[in-house]
Amino acid sequence: MFCNNDVKVICGIHQLHYLPWLRYFHKIYLSDIFVVLDDIQFTKNGWQNRNKIKSPQGWIYLTIPVKYHAHVLINQLEIATSQLWQKRHLKSITMFYGKAPYFSRYIPYFQEFYSHSWKWFHEAAFYLLRSLLESLGIKTPIVRSSELNIPGEATDRLINICKEVGADTYLTGEHALHAYLEPDKFLSQKINLLVQKWKCPEYTQQFPKVGFIPDLSIVDLLFNEGEGSLEIIKKGCLLYTSDAADEGLGV
C-alpha cells in the first residue's frame, strides 16, 4: 500500500496525455495521489497524443505522430520517428507564444524536451508531464498504472487501484460519472466519490482579436500567466459528492 488507510486520501486516475488541458492539472492538484493510466488501449484520434494551442487564426493541434495499430496499449505505442514533429512543435510554440509575458521563463522546459529523440510515446508524455507539474508547483505523487499491475476492467479496476494506493475517495470528472462509472460499486467498497465539475476560467491570452478560447493546452496558460497559473487553474472547478449533485463544496 502507498498510504495509511487511517488517513483520508483522494485518488485521481486519468489516461496519460500529451500537453494536457487545464482541468487535467486541476485533477492532479486536488489528488493526494494521482495514477496515470498508461497500460490501457490507445484511442486513435483522441486526446492522448494531441492537444490545442492558440494561433492568430484560432486553435490548432499539436500532435505526436504514432505508429498506430488496433488494440495497442499506450505504453506499447511507438512514435513515428521519421517525422520531424519535435522541430514543428517547438517552432509553433515559439511562433505563437514568443511575445507572451512568460515565454523566456518556460521555453527552456520545452527546448530540453524537444531536443530528445523519443521512441516511445508514454516515455515522452510522462517526462513532459513531470516537467509541467514542476513548473506549476504541483507536488502530488504520480504513479503509473503499469507499475501497479492491478486487475479488473472499467469501474472495477478503478476501485482496485484506489484500494492499492490506500485511497478512500475517488476523484472523477463529471462526464465520466454520467457516461460509464458505476457509483454503487464504489459505495459498496466504502470508497467515496468526489466529482470535478469544470468550467475553464478566463485568463490573458495572445491574439485577443480571436477572442478567448477555453480548454487549450496548459502551454497557453503557462506562457501567459506564469507563476499565477496554478491559482487560475484552481478557480475553474466546483466539487460535489456523487450523492449531493446540487451541493457545491468549493475549491
Side-chain angles (χ1 to χ4, degrees):
M1 305 289 282
F2 283 84
C3 305
N4 188 322
N5 280 327
D6 294 330
V7 179
K8 297 291 183 181
V9 177
I10 297 173
C11 178
I13 305 172
H14 207 102
Q15 302 164 23
L16 183 62
H17 287 287
Y18 171 61
L19 295 178
W21 48 83
L22 275 59
R23 66 181 180 269
Y24 190 99
F25 288 94
H26 187 268
K27 195 174 186 181
I28 298 176
Y29 168 76
L30 289 176
S31 302
D32 295 304
I33 187 165
F34 188 81
V35 178
V36 172
L37 292 175
D38 64 346
D39 58 354
I40 61 171
Q41 187 171 324
F42 172 75
T43 303
K44 186 179 181 181
N45 299 324
W47 293 101
Q48 293 162 348
N49 65 321
R50 67 180 180 178
N51 217 306
K52 300 184 291 186
I53 62 171
K54 192 175 183 183
S55 80
Q57 289 75 44
W59 62 262
I60 64 168
Y61 283 124
L62 290 184
T63 304
I64 295 182
V66 295
K67 298 178 181 179
Y68 172 78
H69 57 85
H71 310 302
V72 64
L73 303 183
I74 291 175
N75 63 353
Q76 299 171 346
L77 188 68
E78 285 191 65
I79 294 174
T81 54
S82 61
Q83 300 186 39
L84 301 177
W85 64 274
Q86 293 112 307
K87 184 177 181 179
R88 292 200 306 270
H89 289 198
L90 183 58
K91 181 180 179 181
S92 294
I93 289 172
T94 301
M95 183 183 304
F96 300 139
Y97 295 103
K99 295 183 180 180
Y102 296 92
F103 177 80
S104 61
R105 179 175 299 183
Y106 296 106
I107 192 59
Y109 283 97
F110 298 95
Q111 290 172 330
E112 195 274 336
F113 169 75
Y114 291 121
S115 69
H116 287 266
S117 297
W118 300 102
K119 179 179 180 181
W120 301 103
F121 169 76
H122 73 101
E123 291 181 350
F126 191 73
Y127 182 94
L128 185 55
L129 176 62
R130 285 199 171 278
S131 294
L132 290 167
L133 290 171
E134 178 184 344
S135 69
L136 289 166
I138 297 176
K139 299 180 180 180
T140 303
I142 308 294
V143 179
R144 303 188 205 198
S145 59
S146 59
E147 299 171 342
L148 300 176
N149 193 29
I150 301 298
E153 300 289 336
T155 293
D156 291 332
R157 191 179 190 211
L158 297 177
I159 290 171
N160 290 338
I161 289 174
C162 287
K163 290 180 177 180
E164 177 66 19
V165 300
D168 65 354
T169 302
Y170 174 60
L171 176 62
T172 182
E174 191 173 40
H175 171 75
L177 176 68
H178 300 299
Y180 59 84
L181 282 188
E182 300 174 81
D184 290 345
K185 285 189 175 183
F186 284 94
L187 299 179
S188 69
Q189 297 297 317
K190 297 183 170 24
I191 297 176
N192 303 310
L193 278 176
L194 190 60
V195 184
Q196 178 199 44
K197 182 176 183 178
W198 175 262
K199 180 180 180 181
C200 184
E202 290 199 22
Y203 57 89
T204 302
Q205 291 184 341
Q206 299 298 292
F207 318 116
K209 290 183 179 180
V210 177
F212 180 78
I213 301 178
D215 296 317
L216 297 174
S217 163
I218 189 64
V219 168
D220 190 79
L221 178 66
L222 201 59
F223 283 130
N224 285 302
E225 297 288 358
E227 66 271 10
S229 295
L230 182 56
E231 289 304 311
I232 292 171
I233 289 172
K234 289 158 63 175
K235 294 178 182 178
C237 182
L238 180 71
L239 294 179
Y240 62 85
T241 56
S242 62
D243 59 348
D246 295 327
E247 181 181 351
L249 302 182
V251 179

